[in-house]
Amino acid sequence: MMDTIDVLLSEEVIDARIRELAAQIDADYAGESITLLCTLKGAVFFACELAKRITIPVFMDFIQTASYEGTQSTGTVSMKLDVPDEAIEGKHIIIIEDVIDTGRTLSVVKEMMLKRKPASLKVCSLLDKHECRVVPFDGDYIGFTIGNDFVVGYGLDVDQKYRNLPFVGIVK
Ligand code: IMP
Ligand code: MG
């Protein structure tokens, strides 16, 4: 049976917002180069679209976290794929995420990356489910703040499905 998916954020709306975020990053890091540290798999689509619209020099790196469901501890977030310390040390890093939900994943990842002494470290997320936080966490660049619905598309999945939808939608 096919799921019904209601469009929450259209491709056009997302594209316009990504252009704004890119312009803001260009202005904030003028004269510098940056590394977009993309979290696999969900943030890949967003990271690529964002990178294409940034005009200062951009480097891309990729990490992947594994989180274990059903537990309340931040200690259960681990790295499935990591980068060497040299990829972070002395660099202007922007972690790219698809959605900040409970805040657990990014609070752990941010701490891990800060230990490697980046020149600066910020977080950019396409979506922010701000009301779902369990751990306090604020992103620096946010595409859209949304409610607590489970969303798919533009990289986000349910059981690995729907990542390739060109919009963000709510599964009914
Ligand atoms: P958290 O902030 O540690 O709770 O986790 C964020 C991660 O949970 C994201 O990177 C997604 O993989 C996943 N996630 C949270 N909400 C959604 C959603 O609505 N759709 C798809 N994945 C989600
Ligand atoms: Mg994810």
Side-chain angles (χ1 to χ4, degrees):
M1 199 185 73
M2 292 288 286
D3 296 312
T4 307
I5 299 171
D6 290 346
V7 176
L8 178 67
L9 301 164
S10 70
E11 191 172 10
E12 292 73 23
V13 163
I14 297 170
D15 183 65
R17 183 67 186 125
I18 290 177
R19 285 171 197 276
E20 289 177 357
L21 290 172
Q24 200 184 333
I25 290 169
D26 269 342
D28 291 352
Y29 293 88
E32 307 284 354
S33 56
I34 55 172
T35 296
L36 301 185
L37 188 64
C38 175
T39 60
L40 296 173
K41 302 173 186 171
V44 167
F45 292 67
F46 173 47
C48 293
E49 294 305 311
L50 182 67
K52 286 191 283 182
R53 289 163 178 85
I54 293 170
T55 63
I56 61 168
V58 170
F59 298 91
M60 305 283 290
D61 263 312
F62 298 87
I63 56 173
Q64 187 169 17
T65 58
S67 55
Y68 302 98
E69 276 172 43
T71 152
Q72 298 295 308
S73 162
T74 56
T76 57
V77 176
S78 68
M79 299 298 265
K80 239 185 199 172
L81 174 72
D82 203 351
V83 290
D85 291 351
E86 308 84 79
I88 305 297
E89 194 179 340
K91 308 255 166 62
H92 293 291
I93 306 293
I94 305 179
I95 299 172
I96 309 294
E97 180 59 299
D98 51 1
V99 54
I100 312 174
D101 183 18
T102 64
R104 286 193 189 108
T105 309
L106 278 179
S107 54
V108 170
V109 171
K110 198 173 171 183
E111 277 311 306
M112 281 180 187
M113 295 304 153
L114 279 172
K115 287 192 181 128
R116 298 164 177 189
K117 307 256 179 297
S120 68
L121 181 64
K122 287 190 184 178
V123 170
C124 174
S125 184
L126 176 63
L127 305 175
D128 186 357
K129 294 185 180 180
H130 210 83
E131 62 194 55
C132 298
R133 284 300 191 283
V134 172
V135 175
F137 190 89
D138 285 322
D140 301 284
Y141 302 100
I142 298 298
F144 303 91
T145 299
I146 61 171
N148 62 8
D149 290 305
F150 194 85
V151 291
V152 296
Y154 221 91
L156 293 119
D157 72 302
V158 56
D159 295 333
Q160 302 299 327
K161 272 196 302 187
Y162 302 126
R163 291 192 195 277
N164 62 313
L165 293 177
F167 56 86
V168 171
I170 299 173
V171 186
K172 289 283 154 188

